[in-house]
Amino acid sequence: MNSVGDMMRCLGLLLVVFVVIQEECLASSIHRRKKREDTDFECPKPDGLFADPETCKKFYTCAGNYPFAQNCPSSLYFDDVRKFCTRKTKQLVCGPVETPEVEPTEPPTPDPLSAPPCDTSACVLPDCFCSSDGTLIPGGLEPTETPQMILLSFDGAVNSLNFDLYKKLLTKTRTNPNGCPIKGTFFVSHEYNSHFHVQKFYSEGHEIAIHSISNRSPEEWWAKGSYEDYAEEMVGQREILHKFANISRDSLLGMRVPYLHPGGNAMMNVAYDYDFVYDSSIIAPMSYTPIWPYTLDYKIPHKCMQGTCPTRSFPGLWEIPLNTLFSNDGTGGMCSLADQCVFQENDDESVEQFLKDNFNRHYNVNRAPLGLYFHVNWFNDRNKTAVLLNFIDDIRTKHRDVWFVTMQELVSWMRNPTKVSNLNSFAPWACEKRESSCNIPKNCEVQLHLDGYVETRYMQTCAKCPVKYPWVGNFEGAAEGVKIMDLTRDAEPESDS
């Protein structure tokens, strides 16, 4: 440097470079979250998700006729019927699907057994709860008196491939305001499941619920399943978990249908007849006022998004609906399972804002339980996992009225609405000591007999290895299978005629 002037000129140049870089970074950040200027896509409707006409890897989120371009992750494709990115299967509907004009038809004949609208004078807790639009807080509590419950659930088999991924979230150091560890609910399907790892999660206080034996495809099968189909799949899975994961039937009280394709009245009849306490399969539509759980004594208080919701009355059976998740700015799309919403790769800011928007919508409005429901693919993404863990730790630090509870614990609170100020002594949410699982499981190599074929399957359990791989129609894994329906018929008392 020859002079003060030279130094000042260098500093000025550095300042210009810094400002340019800062502006470019800001522009890049804004670009990620705004409409692409060069797109000529026109929204078919003011709001919603729509396929790109040229590629299955891309779709648009329209908000007020304003399109946001979105890309599916590398291995997924956008399905314009189901409105989310999914794997490439025979059921994938690629490209725009036109909704046909519906011809006016004669109204259907009313079902004389249809559930009536909510009657709050007749529907009283602890065994019945409803409201006209599903948004009222039980017990007449004010939002500030109501805990913000967060439901963490995980769908599918549990095994050595995902156990440690889930444990990163469900550590004993993450606690609720009463000092007990936060808890989650596992909707467990049978194939590829390790009953050893399921038993470990149960022994640590988490809830185990039913997600069927087969998790079979096509997805539409579940919407058309018969009473017997659901009995074999759901009750059979409860028996498998009871026998091979050493969990009492009295603890296996909830169910969720695969692919969220509910089987209408047939499915709920099974849940009712076989003493399930709740179902969590019905999607509530996008709304800025979320829906509270309700019992199925009366007609469901919102639009049926899947088209195969129950229409009849099932007194005392709780439905924990899946409130649709969405970001306020329209990025990420809409989803009922958190891992179905799509974000730009490595766009941690959008994922963080997505979680905050959904939390604030529940916390600042009516404190309806916030469901964060996952498959393992969320936790296979290190960035998304890190954002989720930071979000949960931030919520726990800032709010002493937020509780991470199981679905059974939610139902216990719904039956007996208790103010935030009294929750540290609320017995159903107290720390619970359960029997530990074994340390070294049996690794069973067994044969699955299916449609004339024999395949080898492996399963881990602390119990005795079965003769055959447990399956639909043979939940015990015995040499000769017994169906749930056959056992039920055998248990029925003989008629006097």
Side-chain angles (χ1 to χ4, degrees):
M1 297 291 177
N2 296 324
S3 68
V4 174
D6 291 337
M7 183 179 295
M8 293 302 293
R9 281 193 293 274
C10 288
L11 289 174
L13 180 61
L14 288 173
L15 179 61
V16 170
V17 171
F18 173 76
V19 170
V20 169
I21 293 175
Q22 187 179 43
E23 289 178 345
E24 287 180 350
C25 290
L26 179 60
S28 175
S29 175
I30 294 173
H31 178 75
R32 287 201 306 268
R33 302 179 62 83
K34 66 177 286 189
K35 175 186 175 183
R36 288 181 54 182
E37 297 297 337
D38 59 350
T39 183
D40 56 0
F41 182 82
E42 294 185 4
C43 293
K45 295 181 181 178
D47 301 288
L49 275 64
F50 305 97
D52 186 281
E54 298 178 359
T55 173
C56 296
K57 299 292 295 180
K58 185 176 176 181
F59 67 99
Y60 293 87
T61 300
C62 289
N65 277 318
Y66 197 82
F68 295 84
Q70 305 276 325
N71 292 314
C72 288
S74 58
S75 61
L76 302 182
Y77 300 82
F78 185 73
D79 187 310
D80 199 38
V81 172
R82 289 177 286 177
K83 299 297 184 184
F84 59 79
C85 295
T86 184
R87 293 181 179 83
K88 194 171 186 178
T89 65
K90 293 181 180 179
Q91 289 75 43
L92 175 68
V93 179
C94 181
V97 174
E98 293 186 7
T99 304
E101 294 293 330
V102 178
E103 296 291 333
T105 59
E106 292 292 326
T109 304
D111 181 356
L113 298 179
S114 290
C118 171
D119 181 355
T120 54
S121 64
C123 182
V124 295
L125 292 170
D127 298 320
C128 181
F129 179 72
C130 70
S131 62
S132 59
D133 62 0
T135 65
L136 295 186
I137 301 173
L141 299 184
E142 294 295 325
T144 54
E145 300 174 316
T146 306
Q148 177 58 66
M149 291 170 274
I150 297 182
L151 306 171
L152 301 171
S153 83
F154 313 88
D155 289 8
V158 178
N159 50 47
S160 59
L161 298 177
N162 55 33
F163 181 80
D164 289 336
L165 296 176
Y166 293 148
K167 284 288 288 183
K168 289 181 180 179
L169 168 57
L170 301 171
T171 63
K172 293 183 179 180
T173 57
R174 288 193 172 91
T175 57
N176 280 316
N178 63 355
C180 301
I182 68 173
K183 297 176 184 176
T185 300
F186 290 85
F187 289 96
V188 178
S189 53
H190 173 58
E191 192 164 21
Y192 309 115
N193 184 60
S194 165
H195 298 87
F196 166 69
H197 287 100
V198 166
Q199 190 172 345
K200 273 195 170 296
F201 273 132
Y202 178 75
S203 70
E204 293 172 1
H206 303 293
E207 180 188 359
I208 307 302
I210 308 304
H211 199 46
S212 82
I213 293 177
S214 70
N215 199 34
R216 72 179 74 189
S217 57
E219 299 178 12
E220 293 74 18
W221 183 90
W222 297 94
K224 301 174 183 177
S226 67
Y227 181 96
E228 183 169 353
D229 290 333
Y230 271 98
E232 299 305 326
E233 287 278 2
M234 299 302 190
V235 184
Q237 174 65 347
R238 181 167 66 185
E239 292 299 315
I240 289 174
L241 290 169
H242 168 61
K243 184 177 180 66
F244 296 104
N246 195 31
I247 302 173
S248 70
R249 296 181 184 90
D250 292 340
S251 297
L252 297 164
L253 300 177
M255 57 184 267
R256 175 176 289 165
V257 67
Y259 311 108
L260 300 181
H261 281 284
N265 294 322
M267 183 184 87
M268 292 305 180
N269 260 318
V270 169
Y272 183 79
D273 289 347
Y274 286 91
D275 297 323
F276 284 87
V277 168
Y278 73 86
D279 169 73
S280 182
S281 304
I282 297 178
I283 299 172
M286 174 181 171
S287 173
Y288 286 93
T289 304
I291 301 294
W292 273 88
Y294 47 85
T295 58
L296 291 170
D297 298 64
Y298 297 94
K299 182 179 179 181
I300 65 173
H302 55 80
K303 179 182 178 182
C304 175
M305 300 296 291
Q306 299 115 307
T308 51
C309 300
T311 58
R312 295 183 176 180
S313 177
F314 302 96
L317 178 62
W318 288 86
E319 179 60 37
I320 302 176
L322 294 86
N323 282 294
T324 295
L325 304 170
F326 60 97
S327 294
N328 292 343
D329 65 0
T331 59
M334 298 178 292
C335 52
S336 48
L337 300 173
D339 52 87
Q340 290 176 344
C341 271
V342 180
F343 307 92
Q344 297 295 334
E345 189 173 358
N346 299 324
D347 186 5
D348 296 354
E349 179 190 351
S350 291
V351 178
E352 179 184 12
Q353 194 61 47
F354 165 81
L355 294 171
K356 288 181 177 179
D357 285 349
N358 285 284
F359 172 78
N360 290 333
R361 189 178 308 117
H362 288 247
Y363 186 80
N364 295 329
V365 180
N366 66 349
R367 300 278 173 100
L370 169 61
L372 297 177
Y373 308 137
F374 304 97
H375 292 95
V376 70
N377 54 314
W378 180 287
F379 298 90
N380 286 328
D381 185 317
R382 292 183 180 179
N383 287 5
K384 283 185 178 178
T385 301
V387 172
L388 176 65
L389 298 183
N390 289 337
F391 164 76
I392 289 176
D393 289 339
D394 185 60
I395 292 297
R396 290 177 47 254
T397 301
K398 293 180 178 177
H399 300 280
R400 299 298 296 171
D401 51 3
V402 174
W403 295 70
F404 293 82
V405 299
T406 68
M407 295 199 175
Q408 285 190 38
E409 290 175 327
L410 162 63
V411 171
S412 295
W413 187 91
M414 294 283 298
R415 292 180 184 275
N416 179 24
T418 302
K419 294 181 180 180
V420 170
S421 56
N422 298 325
L423 284 176
N424 281 352
S425 58
F426 185 55
W429 291 4
C431 303
E432 182 180 0
K433 181 71 174 178
R434 290 177 177 169
E435 181 182 352
S436 299
S437 64
C438 65
N439 292 317
I440 302 177
K442 297 179 179 67
N443 293 300
C444 308
E445 181 180 336
V446 285
Q447 303 298 314
L448 169 61
H449 296 253
L450 183 65
D451 298 331
Y453 295 93
V454 179
E455 298 178 2
T456 300
R457 289 286 189 274
Y458 299 90
M459 57 180 281
Q460 288 186 316
T461 177
C462 293
K464 181 180 177 181
C465 289
V467 176
K468 293 181 179 179
Y469 190 67
W471 199 248
V472 179
N474 186 9
F475 59 86
E476 291 183 314
E480 296 295 331
V482 178
K483 292 185 175 182
I484 294 293
M485 292 296 294
D486 291 339
L487 290 176
T488 305
R489 294 187 190 101
D490 293 341
E492 290 176 354
E494 296 182 2
S495 62
D496 295 332
S497 58

